[in-house]
Amino acid sequence: MNLDLRRLPSLDHLKGFVAAARHASFTKAGEALFLSQSAISRQVQALEAQLGAPLFRRSTRQLALTPQGEILYRAACTAFAGLAEAVEQIAAPRRPGLTVSTSIGFAALWLVPRLSLFQEEHPEIDVRLSAENRAVDLVVDDVDLAIRYCAPGDAPGGSAKLFDEALLPVIGPALRPLLPPTGGLDGATLGQLTLLAFTDATAHPWFDWNAWLKPLGLDAGQARGCLQFNHYDQCIAAAQAGQGIALGREPLIREQLADGRLLALAPARPVPQRAYYLLRGARAGQPAVAAFTDWLLRQTGRPAGQQ
């Protein structure tokens, strides 16, 4: 066959096109390929310009393939499948691995500091951590395990509860001199502190400072000021740095409380509306995924067989 390689589109452009067609979204395609939405859009535009034909019908809600796009998508999928099979045959054996999805806050405060412990137990297993604040689809996003923060009634069947949610006010040790002799939190102390607020309080009202302070007879307006953060780990980092008082998620900061990096100003209050769950994907039975699942459940103090 006389194949003119110069006429073929760029492989990167084809990969961006296939991802966009598969997800019906430039944004989701970018997330899958670790590129920006605009980068995927430019790849598709360049491909359309080279071919002289539209590949997508664009709307405000979703992408849809044109007839020309359908032809290219089928051909590209067949070609990529053939390439993948050839690479699998000739490439050196890959190390076992898995992909774990979780929120940015859970990853930064709880999981990342412990990953070295898993590596010590299983140096032969590679772990890919995907941290983002959306509920991923384990099938579409090709994820093996996901740690999800949700209401007990929303936890999918077969998921394992890791721990319940609970909140308590915390400060860094640099602010200890502001506390009354008896410790704790009163109006005078609150007046010297800046509230460190997690801005997800709209979606999760238990993070709202007024809701937490009201049972103590206090009000957020009594505080010295307020700093807002849209990522929870930033809020805790600011507390540890002595910038103010934060509502600590007790399951995520137990070690910081134990070693004195954070000081508790009141007992933790349970949040029955939320808990942390482990979701398993289709490859849950593979040795690498099973090993990480067992390790994770042991880290949370729950037997591997407990649901």
Side-chain angles (χ1 to χ4, degrees):
M1 182 170 73
N2 185 17
L3 181 62
D4 186 355
L5 296 177
R6 294 171 299 178
R7 296 195 62 192
L8 292 179
S10 159
L11 185 61
D12 282 339
H13 292 174
L14 283 173
K15 287 165 61 178
F17 162 71
V18 169
R22 182 172 296 164
H23 294 279
S25 164
F26 290 153
T27 299
K28 291 182 179 179
E31 292 170 354
L33 296 178
F34 301 101
L35 296 172
S36 67
Q37 180 270 346
S38 58
I40 297 293
S41 179
R42 287 195 298 271
Q43 288 181 349
V44 172
Q45 288 173 358
L47 191 56
E48 290 176 323
Q50 179 180 355
L51 298 175
L55 299 175
F56 289 105
R57 290 190 296 270
R58 296 161 172 83
S59 69
T60 56
R61 293 190 175 183
Q62 195 174 28
L63 293 175
L65 287 168
T66 63
Q68 299 95 322
E70 290 277 4
I71 294 171
L72 182 62
Y73 179 65
R74 288 194 297 269
C77 287
T78 300
F80 282 140
L83 283 172
E85 183 179 351
V87 168
E88 191 70 25
Q89 290 177 4
I90 65 177
R94 290 184 297 177
R95 287 164 53 88
L98 72 152
T99 299
V100 182
S101 171
T102 185
S103 68
I104 295 171
F106 189 96
L109 294 171
W110 195 92
L111 186 54
V112 169
R114 291 169 169 80
L115 279 179
S116 61
L117 300 176
F118 178 76
Q119 289 183 313
E120 290 175 7
E121 286 190 27
H122 297 281
E124 78 284 1
I125 298 177
D126 293 336
V127 178
R128 175 180 174 267
L129 179 60
S130 176
E132 54 183 308
N133 293 331
R134 70 179 179 94
V136 302
D137 183 309
L138 274 68
V139 175
V140 172
D141 294 287
D142 196 25
V143 169
D144 297 298
L145 298 170
I147 299 163
R148 189 161 295 172
Y149 180 72
C150 64
D154 293 335
S159 59
K161 182 192 283 189
L162 300 178
F163 26 63
D164 294 306
E165 178 70 295
L167 300 179
L168 73 166
V170 295
I171 60 171
L175 297 182
R176 188 192 299 270
L178 299 181
L179 301 182
T182 56
L185 185 62
D186 57 21
T189 304
L190 183 60
Q192 301 178 76
L193 295 172
T194 297
L195 297 179
L196 306 175
F198 179 38
T199 54
D200 201 25
T202 302
H204 302 320
W206 47 92
F207 285 113
D208 179 73
W209 266 111
N210 266 326
W212 211 93
L213 290 169
K214 187 176 180 180
L216 299 178
L218 301 172
D219 185 271
Q222 297 174 258
R224 179 184 178 185
C226 181
L227 290 174
Q228 296 186 353
F229 302 87
N230 67 337
H231 288 302
Y232 184 73
D233 57 306
Q234 298 169 346
C235 194
I236 294 301
Q240 289 184 194
Q243 296 182 24
I245 178 173
L247 281 177
R249 300 163 84 166
E250 190 272 338
L252 306 189
I253 61 170
R254 285 174 187 166
E255 289 196 359
Q256 291 94 322
L257 291 169
D259 63 21
R261 283 177 288 167
L262 289 172
L263 307 176
L265 301 190
R269 289 185 202 159
V271 180
Q273 301 99 317
R274 286 294 185 276
Y276 301 82
Y277 293 88
L278 176 65
L279 282 60
R280 303 170 175 91
R283 294 185 290 267
Q286 291 189 358
V289 181
F292 192 89
T293 300
D294 175 73
W295 171 82
L296 185 65
L297 293 175
R298 283 189 280 113
Q299 288 295 309
T300 62
R302 294 182 180 270
Q306 182 174 333
Q307 299 297 313

